[in-house]
Amino acid sequence: MKDCPTTPPAAPAAVDLKRHLLLRVSLFALAVGVVATVVVLHQTRARIRDHLARTGVTVERLIAGEADQLRDAFRRSLDGLALTSLDGIGPLLGICVAVEDLYKRPVVSRCFHDDGEAPTPVRWLLARLIGPEVAYRGVIGQYPGVKVGEFVVTPDLDSEGRAAWVQIRTVLGMSLAILLLNLLIYRPVRRALRPADQILAVLGRMEAGDLSARMPRPRLIELRRIAAGFDHLAAQLQKTLAAQRQLAQRLLAVREEERRRLARELHDEFGQCLASVGAEAAFIAARAESTDPSLLPAARAVSAVTGHMMESLQGILHQLRPVGLEEFGLTAALEQLVAGWRRRMPGCDFALTVTGAVDGLPDGLTVSLYRIVQESLTNALRHGTPGRVAVDLARDAAGCRLRVEDDGEGDAPPSPGSGLGVLGMCERVEALGGQFALEPLAPRGMRVRVDFSPEALQATEPTHD
């Protein structure tokens, strides 16, 4: 019992190794850059928070000392305060200080940096990350309990941004180095996998039937081993198929030879016996007509049965060995075959076109082409009820081609006419090195397509020791 066909599992998606490698490493480099930048910014934020908490008290003492030098005992004004006491330590601390008097009026505001501004994107990210709540607020007093002003210490975003930008540039440099390494790896990988296109071309040739195609020898040792193993398997397959083809051709030759012998035996022995019986029946009928008329019906019945058996014998002989195929060639045999169908099917239009030296084909191929046409016509007319059947046989420098087309409604199942069947036609063609196909036509009809390449024609030539 044949196994029921099952749906094959879905094939995994194809992967381009070169593109996959380039994409993976590039994404890795990008991830390293992004993650490291985020880490640097968060470390800067934590450092700023801790730095403000530790330096706020020192800044408050320095501002209070400077304010005491500018005021007398009876003045509570902060006029003239310039934060000069922070000129030495301010750039090291990376802070900005804003002072207001007792009435919330701004007195002075300074940021202690002298190295220029930070990159705008870095400064913007720090401002968003830190927020306005990160600050140190203090009071400026003259005596204990006497308030003369307030001050606010905030981080200097330009100073902190430049420091963070130095670290970010280092990280970006590492990412660029990874990308450069990616390119350096990609080039040799691409060079090593370049023979893949040649390998695919060889596979395409083998799929088309050229089993003599062989793999290139790539520089990559893994691919070289695969190519060597594939060539070994291809050589073994070529030998096996050649042996099978020779065996199939031998079987076809033996079968045709057996049919030829059987046809000759039937014609010489059985045919002569039927002819002798027919002559004896005619003699008995002639004598019975004058001597014993009661035997006349029996004699005529024997003659009728003998004639029917002679017609059946002729049909059997025609199936076993086409009349005129050896004596007159393939073209004449096909014309006789089509003419016989024209007589039997007068309502169908038959067209036969033969071009090229088809009569010079080897005997095995000649018989096979005749059998295929015979089976194709039988299938088309018994199962498709066509209005037109066209047979086209051609031989030229490109090989030998046979097309049998009809406009019937059938699907060309195997018929018992010649005992060949569609499967038998396919096996016969493949045994001779050709290609067979049964194709539906639009809007209706079927086409039998048979192709033999010049190499296949040459392989079917008989060899002589």
Side-chain angles (χ1 to χ4, degrees), residues 94 123 134 186 245 293 296 318 386-387 394 405 438 448 465:
R123 193 179 190 280
V134 179
Y186 173 76
R245 185 171 297 171
L296 188 59
H318 183 72
E405 299 181 0
L438 187 62
V448 175
D465 296 333

Side-chain angles (χ1 to χ4, degrees), residues 61 73 87 114 186 194 210 244 265 286 297 371 393 407-408 412 424 460:
R61 291 175 181 176
D87 287 342
D114 53 3
Y186 173 76
R194 189 173 298 168
D210 184 10
Q244 290 181 349
E265 292 293 333
R371 296 294 189 192
L393 178 61
D407 57 358
T460 58

Side-chain angles (χ1 to χ4, degrees), residues 105-365:
R105 291 177 300 186
V107 176
V108 63
S109 178
R110 287 185 61 185
C111 289
F112 299 90
H113 66 271
D114 53 3
D115 296 333
E117 297 181 350
T120 302
V122 178
R123 193 179 190 280
W124 181 84
L125 286 173
L126 277 178
R128 291 284 183 177
L129 188 62
I130 294 174
E133 69 278 1
V134 179
Y136 181 88
R137 301 182 183 275
V139 176
I140 303 174
Q142 186 175 12
Y143 299 106
V146 180
K147 175 181 176 183
V148 296
E150 296 179 351
F151 71 93
V152 178
V153 181
T154 57
D156 185 357
L157 295 181
D158 287 310
S159 177
E160 297 292 348
R162 286 195 306 272
W165 175 240
V166 172
Q167 300 181 25
I168 292 175
R169 280 190 304 178
T170 303
V171 172
L172 294 180
M174 294 174 57
S175 299
L176 292 177
I178 295 175
L179 291 177
L180 179 60
L181 179 62
N182 184 25
L183 293 177
L184 294 177
I185 295 175
Y186 173 76
R187 290 179 63 86
V189 170
R190 184 181 64 177
R191 190 181 302 111
L193 295 180
R194 189 173 298 168
D197 295 333
Q198 302 175 357
I199 293 175
L200 292 176
V202 173
L203 291 176
R205 289 174 55 189
M206 297 194 69
E207 184 178 3
D210 184 10
L211 297 181
S212 62
R214 292 296 180 265
M215 289 290 179
R217 288 298 181 267
R219 298 176 59 184
L220 190 63
I221 187 170
E222 291 80 4
L223 291 181
R224 183 182 291 269
R225 291 174 179 174
I226 293 175
F230 185 89
D231 286 348
H232 177 71
L233 292 178
Q236 295 298 323
L237 177 62
Q238 190 176 15
K239 292 179 181 179
T240 302
L241 292 180
Q244 290 181 349
R245 185 171 297 171
Q246 291 178 357
L247 178 60
Q249 291 180 2
R250 179 57 182 166
L251 291 176
L252 290 176
V254 170
R255 183 170 63 178
E256 292 300 330
E257 180 62 29
E258 183 64 21
R259 287 182 173 182
R260 184 185 296 109
R261 186 192 64 80
L262 183 58
R264 183 171 57 250
E265 292 293 333
L266 288 176
H267 180 273
D268 293 343
E269 298 295 334
F270 196 56
Q272 292 181 4
C273 291
L274 288 178
S276 176
V277 171
E280 294 294 338
F283 175 76
I284 293 174
R287 293 293 302 268
E289 187 175 1
S290 59
T291 59
D292 191 356
S294 61
L295 297 177
L296 188 59
R300 291 176 177 176
V302 172
S303 298
V305 172
T306 303
H308 178 71
M309 292 180 66
M310 288 292 292
E311 292 180 359
S312 299
L313 179 61
Q314 292 296 326
I316 293 174
L317 293 177
H318 183 72
Q319 294 289 339
L320 290 175
R321 192 66 181 175
V323 179
L325 184 60
E326 294 181 350
E327 293 79 5
F328 304 106
L330 180 59
T331 302
L334 291 178
E335 291 176 349
Q336 183 181 13
L337 176 64
V338 173
W341 280 109
R342 284 196 184 102
R343 289 191 301 270
R344 283 176 283 177
M345 305 290 293
C348 182
D349 180 24
F350 291 88
L352 174 63
T353 304
V354 180
T355 56
V358 298
D359 290 333
L361 293 172
D363 181 69
L365 183 58

